[in-house]
Structures are given as structure tokens and as C-alpha cells.
Amino acid sequence: EAGEIDDDGEFEAGTTAGEYRRAVTVSIGDARDRADVTLVADTPNALSITPENPRVLAGQSLRFNGRVADQYGNAIADAEVNFSVVAEAGAMSPEGEFTAGIILGDYENGITARSGTLEASTSVSVIPGQPARISVTPSDVAPVIMANVTVPAGSIRGFTAFVYDGAGAVIPDVAVMWRADDTLGQIDGDGVLVVGAVEGVFASGVSANVGAIVGQAEVTVPADFDQDNVADSLELLHRFDPTEADDMAADMDGDGLPNGEELNAGKKV
């Protein structure tokens, strides 16, 4: 394995680096001696990264290693290797310590190693951990830790549940169980709330859960959402819109009295 030597002492090294004890023998008559041979790696020729194409939990760390080899595949131990990563995938130290971010996805060739003129890449996937927190917000509002929503009586409002893992990554496509305070109204399996006619502040008005993990939104149903001085419950009873203030100033029956005054007086419009 060390190589070959001819009768004139011309030695041709093999291709596998290492220490070869008593690899070369020389003899004259009955006299004999042996010599050790050390084969060292040739110049850098290839660079590889391990592990290849790993899956890493959001927020977790993984050490990457770079291997520089000569043309025969012998490792060059003292070769300097520097690492980098695409910003969306996470953070990387020059030495190869990777910490996954919270933007889930498959990052093709997201990890790069360089050593001199040599370069190598590998892909990395950032995957979610187990559910740790749920944020419940109206569907048209950005997610917040605890939503506080004001809705008019009799209205319909959609809610969205954002499920996070322990690192804060949003876990996609998680089925949640929806629940609404019975006095507030009814909510379906898609998070669509039909608000009743009862005013009040419902601290746990809408909630969503995945197992024992629960997220809640506080829902407020004001007595007079459109501030037209007519209770929303009264407007709903007479088929008026509690979000439209102008309808109480109108005179639907043409008797000279605004609709609002007639409703507050207990009259029919």
C-alpha cells in the first residue's frame, strides 16, 4: 500500500496517505535494514460537506463539517473551511455551526462551504417542531399574541388560528378545534363566528385548540356599535343594520319622525 520500489531504490508512492512502518527493505548479502515511510496528502482537489441535505427543527442547531481531499481522496486535515448560509434559512458561524431560523422551507444549496478556490453546497430543510402556542385573530388582521376584537351584534366575522412551535415558527396546515362563548354566538369548524344580540366583553370569546394548546381572542360586542343612540339589539329586532348610523336618521314611514326616535319610543317604523 505504501507504494513500489525498484532495484535501484526508485520509490513510487501509493495513493493512500498514512504511516507505513518498515515499508522499505534494503539488503546487502546477509545485512538488511528497513525504513518507515509516511505518505502525505497531495494538494487540495475536492471539498465535500456533511451531513448532506439534513432536516433541522426551527430554532435548533446542527454542526456541519467540511472535508478537503486531494485527487486520491486523502483528507487534508489542516485545510481551512469557511461556511455560509442563505439568510432566510437561519444563521451560520464560519466554523459550520448552523442555527435554523423560523421560516420553514426547503433551501436548495442553502449551505455553502469554501476552502481556497474550492466550493461545495448542500441543501437544508427547516421543519417545524410540536405546537406550543396558538394565536387567534380575525382573518383580516395580522397575527398577535392576544387579539381584542370589537364586532357588532348580529354580524359575521371570520377568525384564523396561527399555530406556532417552541421556536416561533408558524406550523402550516394544522387542524384546530374552534369554540365560541355560548352567549357571544356560534362558530363553525372554519372559524366563522355568527355574533348574537347580547352586548358585553367576552374575555374568552373565541378560542382554538390543538390538544392541550389553546389560543383565545377577546371579543367585545358594544351596545351601540354605530353610535346612533339606538341599541343594536333594538335595530336587529326591527331588521335595521347596527353598523349603519344613517338609517336611524331616516324617516321610513314618512310620519315626520326619525326611525331612531320611533324605535326608542317603542313605536313601529
Side-chain angles (χ1 to χ4, degrees), residues 35-47:
D36 298 337
V37 175
T38 299
L39 301 185
V40 297
D42 203 347
T43 57
N45 180 262
L47 173 60

Side-chain angles (χ1 to χ4, degrees), residues 67-88:
R67 184 180 187 271
V68 179
D70 65 10
Q71 61 181 318
Y72 305 111
N74 297 300
I76 302 175
D78 58 352
E80 182 178 352
V81 179
N82 290 301
F83 286 86
S84 62
V85 64
V86 294
E88 294 83 358

Side-chain angles (χ1 to χ4, degrees), residues 157-159 176-180 186-194:
R157 193 68 181 271
F159 285 81
V176 301
M177 296 291 293
W178 289 99
R179 183 183 179 281
Q186 295 183 335
I187 194 167
D188 65 14
D190 295 322
V192 178
L193 173 70
V194 178

Side-chain angles (χ1 to χ4, degrees), residues 134-136 160-163 176-179 206-211 213-217:
I134 299 176
S135 171
V136 174
T160 300
F162 295 88
V163 182
V176 301
M177 296 291 293
W178 289 99
R179 183 183 179 281
V206 172
S207 62
N209 73 282
V210 177
I213 310 300
V214 181
Q216 298 175 334

